[in-house]
Amino acid sequence: MTTMESLIGLVNRIQRACTVLGDYGGGDNTFSSLWEALPSVAVVGGQSSGKSSVLESIVGRDFLPRGSGIVTRRPLVLQLHKTDEGSQEYAEFLHLPKRRFTDFGAVRNEIQEETDRITGKTKQISPVPIHLSIYSPNVVNLTLIDLPGLTKVAVEGQPETIVEDIETMVRTYVEKPNCIILAISPANQDIATSDAIKLAREVDPSGDRTFGVLTKLDLMDKGTNALDVLEGRSYRLQHPWVGIVNRSQADINKNVDMIVARRKEREYFATSPDYGHLASKMGSEYLAKLLSQHLEFVIRSRIPSIISLINKSIDELESEMDHLGRPIALDAGAQLYTVLEVCRAFERIFKEHLDGGRPGGDRIYGVFDNQLPAALKKLPFDRHLSLQNVRRVVSEADGYQPHLIAPEQGYRRLIEGALNYFRGPAEASVDAVHFVLKELVRKSIGETQELKRFPTLQADIAAASNEALERFRDESKKTVVRLVDMESSYLTVDFFRKLPQEVENKGGNPQAPVTDRYGEGHFRRIGSNVSSYVGMVSDTLKNTIPKAVVFCQVKEAKQSLLARFYTQLGKKEVAYRKLYLTINGKQLSQMLDEDPALMERRQQCAKRLELYKAARDEIDSVSWTR
């Protein structure tokens, strides 16, 4: 195989692989960057201009649907692969990857059926391409794209926008800078009215990418010829015009072999009084070689950019493979190591949230700095220490015997009743921090890239973390409630000793009236004293509750969030001879059961990586040889 054939064959293989691996987004007529970097040939022409006959002549096989009106209703991406002499010809469709077609009549039927599958048995069109590869010793390596024929009016059964729709579809291909335009025009029509030439001139005004093909030379009126066009006088292109003689309808009806048709075409030009001097540069065989030679030139000029793009793609895929993670080993020890490494990665991110490396931990401080003080301020002490309630509590405290000097039992009951209100804000602080920690666990799981590939392990870690947080919350609630109970169980006596004592007589005058221990002023003073004491306790709890919560919940979460999970891993039966670990009846391999979509993505990345590396090596081996 020549260097030219090697290069073009390589491009064909890359394009084919890109298509199979999904790099070619044919569904919406968009190309991947690599596909766009590789040249291909788009066949453009009006309806009944002879496009199908040109393609069949190049392939050497009768395989395209025929008929009147719009026959090509979906783009056909045709990749020709030259095989060794004597090898069997066959075709493969991308949508039927495991089936080889050796009967090209069946290929025609499949194209028709696959077209109808998308468009229905109507005259509608679709931009979704059909991908067909033909392997034959009688072809040159080429990628050809057969597009619906340009039309000027909509016929019955077609939408009014069909003219614009077809032109838009064709333009999406021919506007690409690496697309070679094969503009098909019939010789028995004025070249000035050629739809293909008109469109090619708009998208390629310099003509560098356009090859003009003149069909139906044998159908011109007697006494006329197409020499003005073929010799570039009527419309000049950068590349020479090529004349084609298609099979006649009689030949088609008789199923004349394409190889025979090629021979008859050569004889026509060789014996033609008008075109005999151009015979060596006419015909479908010459056209295929001309396109192949031009492709070699284009490919050589694009090699630096193609290699650069391939190297960039390799770097991106290597990075993505690292991001997705490498396949998991079957060895139980390796699996256990993977589980532990993933858990540590999760714990590291969780700690970063708490310590400020990532956002979220500040919400815990917000509980202590905002929510707890606000909740303490809203406690109903005004109602509890109202004059009416103080009188009632003090009066009831001593039972049937009224207090003699100071209502100590009344004081105690008022204080204990007030301190009980602190339970609510204390427990609410615990719940608020618990909620923040649960949210941080959820965020940390989502941000742990290593975990994304293992949905089962994600669920296990989430369950273990939340179970641990529940335990920490319960312990924290017990602790903060104890703090409140401790304040109730033993009052600070120094506070009351420092209170000013009531006197019997105003100013020490024995003639003054005795102070009424059951008067309004007396009960107000008791309420004020209790309020001051409760305020002192509130200030204390405002500091001690956060300490208890941090110690029992936040610190524990940082240090031992997955401690029990690790303990469970370590306690399970290790059966290395069977190469698995049993964890509550569950194998480690099940814990590391990856998301099928992620496994598929890794497999696709691996295939692309293999493709790009092979392409780079192959380009290096053939691109600079002559």
Side-chain angles (χ1 to χ4, degrees):
M1 185 178 292
T2 66
T3 301
M4 177 181 72
E5 291 172 331
S6 297
L7 276 174
I8 299 174
L10 170 62
V11 169
N12 265 12
R13 290 193 295 277
I14 296 175
Q15 287 174 324
R16 174 69 175 174
C18 287
T19 302
V20 171
L21 294 175
D23 274 353
Y24 173 75
D28 59 356
N29 277 331
T30 58
F31 290 77
S32 75
S33 54
L34 180 56
W35 179 280
E36 290 182 1
L38 302 174
S40 56
V41 181
V43 184
V44 182
Q47 290 183 15
S48 303
S49 60
K51 290 191 300 91
S52 296
S53 295
V54 172
L55 284 172
E56 288 181 333
S57 295
I58 291 174
V59 175
R61 281 288 187 173
D62 189 352
F63 69 98
L64 293 173
R66 292 182 178 275
S68 59
I70 180 170
V71 178
T72 303
R73 291 182 286 122
R74 289 175 60 184
L76 175 67
V77 180
L78 176 63
Q79 291 185 306
L80 304 181
H81 303 266
K82 185 174 181 60
T83 57
D84 296 334
E85 287 295 331
S87 60
Q88 185 181 30
E89 294 178 283
Y90 66 92
E92 287 182 343
F93 287 94
L94 181 63
H95 62 274
L96 297 172
K98 297 182 179 180
R99 182 177 173 186
R100 285 189 176 186
F101 290 78
T102 55
D103 179 0
F104 283 82
V107 172
R108 181 189 307 109
N109 294 335
E110 182 58 34
I111 293 174
Q112 186 63 58
E113 291 175 7
E114 177 62 13
T115 299
D116 293 343
R117 186 179 68 81
I118 297 294
T119 64
K121 294 183 179 297
T122 65
K123 295 181 180 179
Q124 304 288 332
I125 65 169
S126 169
V128 181
I130 299 172
H131 294 271
L132 173 64
S133 291
I134 293 179
Y135 300 82
S136 169
N138 301 317
V139 299
V140 295
N141 289 310
L142 278 177
T143 295
L144 300 161
I145 304 173
D146 185 22
L147 297 167
L150 298 166
T151 185
K152 291 183 172 62
V153 294
V155 299
E156 186 177 352
Q158 293 178 338
E160 291 298 321
T161 60
I162 189 72
V163 176
E164 293 81 7
D165 292 344
I166 292 177
E167 182 172 336
T168 299
M169 183 194 304
V170 173
R171 281 181 180 274
T172 60
Y173 287 88
V174 299
E175 286 178 342
K176 305 296 180 183
N178 288 329
C179 177
I180 298 167
I181 304 169
L182 196 61
I184 310 295
S185 303
N188 55 358
Q189 294 180 12
D190 190 344
I191 195 66
T193 65
S194 170
D195 296 317
I197 291 298
K198 176 178 178 295
L199 182 60
R201 181 162 43 193
E202 292 176 6
V203 299
D204 179 33
S206 66
D208 291 334
R209 297 188 288 117
T210 302
F211 284 79
V213 177
L214 212 56
T215 62
K216 305 183 180 182
L217 290 170
D218 54 330
L219 299 182
M220 296 184 69
D221 293 337
K222 289 186 177 180
T224 63
N225 59 52
L227 285 177
D228 284 346
V229 176
L230 292 175
E231 292 178 346
R233 291 188 292 273
S234 293
Y235 185 79
R236 186 172 185 82
L237 294 172
Q238 295 296 323
H239 307 286
W241 282 82
V242 178
I244 298 289
V245 174
N246 303 328
R247 287 184 301 166
S248 66
Q249 189 59 49
D251 288 339
I252 294 172
N253 295 338
K254 294 177 184 177
N255 291 322
V256 173
D257 184 84
M258 292 299 301
I259 303 302
V260 174
R262 283 181 178 178
R263 187 182 69 246
K264 293 175 66 176
E265 182 186 44
R266 289 195 299 269
E267 292 174 353
Y268 172 86
F269 284 112
T271 60
S272 169
D274 294 322
Y275 311 118
H277 64 293
L278 299 174
S280 62
K281 296 183 179 180
M282 295 288 118
S284 56
E285 289 179 293
Y286 174 76
L287 175 62
K289 292 177 181 178
L290 183 66
L291 290 174
S292 187
Q293 289 171 355
H294 183 70
L295 272 177
E296 182 199 12
F297 171 78
V298 172
I299 292 169
R300 285 190 180 278
S301 65
R302 300 284 193 277
I303 279 177
S305 61
I306 291 174
I307 291 180
S308 176
L309 184 58
I310 288 176
N311 286 332
K312 180 182 177 183
S313 299
I314 288 174
D315 291 340
E316 291 173 351
L317 286 169
E318 291 279 13
S319 176
E320 184 169 3
M321 286 293 288
D322 292 337
H323 178 74
L324 294 173
R326 304 294 173 174
I328 301 302
L330 297 177
D331 177 77
Q335 291 178 353
L336 179 58
Y337 176 81
T338 299
V339 170
L340 295 176
E341 283 296 299
V342 171
C343 289
R344 292 189 187 104
F346 158 74
E347 286 186 307
R348 183 176 62 254
I349 291 175
F350 179 71
K351 290 176 183 177
E352 288 176 0
H353 277 292
L354 292 177
D355 293 334
R358 295 172 186 256
D362 56 307
R363 292 170 58 194
I364 295 175
Y365 175 73
V367 172
F368 303 144
D369 195 48
N370 299 314
Q371 291 178 240
L372 177 59
L376 293 176
K377 286 180 181 179
K378 291 179 181 178
L379 293 177
F381 293 135
D382 290 344
R383 185 174 69 247
H384 181 70
L385 298 176
S386 65
L387 181 63
Q388 181 181 1
N389 193 57
V390 170
R391 177 183 288 114
R392 180 186 62 80
V393 172
V394 170
S395 299
E396 295 175 353
D398 294 321
Y400 70 93
Q401 293 190 11
H403 61 273
L404 298 178
I405 300 176
E408 182 169 329
Q409 291 301 319
Y411 267 104
R412 289 187 180 277
R413 290 192 181 184
L414 284 170
I415 292 172
E416 289 173 0
L419 295 186
N420 279 335
Y421 286 118
F422 286 115
R423 286 173 174 259
E427 292 182 335
S429 297
V430 171
D431 289 334
V433 171
H434 176 75
F435 177 79
V436 173
L437 291 174
K438 284 185 66 175
E439 280 293 296
L440 294 183
V441 164
R442 184 187 61 80
K443 287 186 66 176
S444 299
I445 288 175
E447 293 171 6
T448 305
Q449 296 297 332
E450 296 88 339
L451 257 181
K452 291 184 177 180
R453 58 191 292 202
F454 305 123
T456 301
L457 185 56
Q458 279 187 44
D460 289 343
I461 289 178
S465 298
N466 289 329
E467 187 269 336
L469 292 179
E470 294 286 346
R471 292 198 316 274
F472 303 152
R473 178 178 64 176
D474 293 344
E475 187 61 33
S476 186
K477 277 191 177 182
K478 291 178 184 178
T479 302
V480 296
V481 169
R482 284 195 187 102
L483 289 175
V484 175
D485 291 345
M486 283 189 293
E487 294 291 344
S488 301
S489 64
Y490 189 81
L491 305 183
T492 305
V493 68
D494 286 347
F495 176 86
F496 294 97
R497 289 175 177 169
K498 294 177 182 178
L499 289 176
Q501 300 298 313
E502 292 182 354
V503 295
E504 296 297 328
N505 298 327
K506 293 181 179 179
N509 185 354
Q511 301 300 319
V514 177
T515 301
D516 185 1
R517 292 196 180 101
Y518 297 95
E520 183 176 310
H522 175 69
F523 291 117
R524 287 189 185 280
R525 186 175 294 106
I526 292 174
S528 176
N529 291 338
V530 172
S531 178
S532 297
Y533 184 81
V534 170
M536 180 189 72
V537 173
S538 178
D539 290 339
T540 300
L541 291 177
K542 195 185 300 182
N543 293 322
T544 56
I545 287 174
K547 293 178 186 294
V549 170
V550 169
F551 181 79
C552 295
Q553 286 177 271
V554 181
K555 184 178 178 183
E556 283 296 307
K558 280 181 62 177
Q559 294 180 348
S560 55
L561 184 65
L562 295 180
R564 285 199 179 184
F565 184 69
Y566 292 144
T567 301
Q568 290 171 358
L569 285 176
K571 285 183 177 179
K572 305 312 170 183
E573 178 186 358
V574 182
Y576 285 104
R577 292 182 181 179
K578 295 183 180 180
L579 295 180
Y580 70 86
L581 290 177
T582 302
I583 300 179
N584 290 333
K586 184 194 297 183
Q587 292 185 4
L588 270 177
S589 58
Q590 291 176 323
M591 277 184 103
L592 296 175
D593 185 19
E594 294 185 87
D595 182 349
L598 188 143
M599 294 174 66
E600 176 66 19
R601 179 60 187 166
R602 184 194 297 116
Q603 193 174 40
Q604 292 291 324
C605 283
K607 288 181 179 179
R608 287 187 176 92
L609 194 56
E610 182 181 0
L611 160 70
Y612 293 146
K613 287 182 176 179
R616 181 178 61 186
D617 293 342
E618 197 164 351
I619 288 176
D620 287 342
S621 68
V622 302
S623 60
W624 307 115
T625 59
R626 291 287 180 178

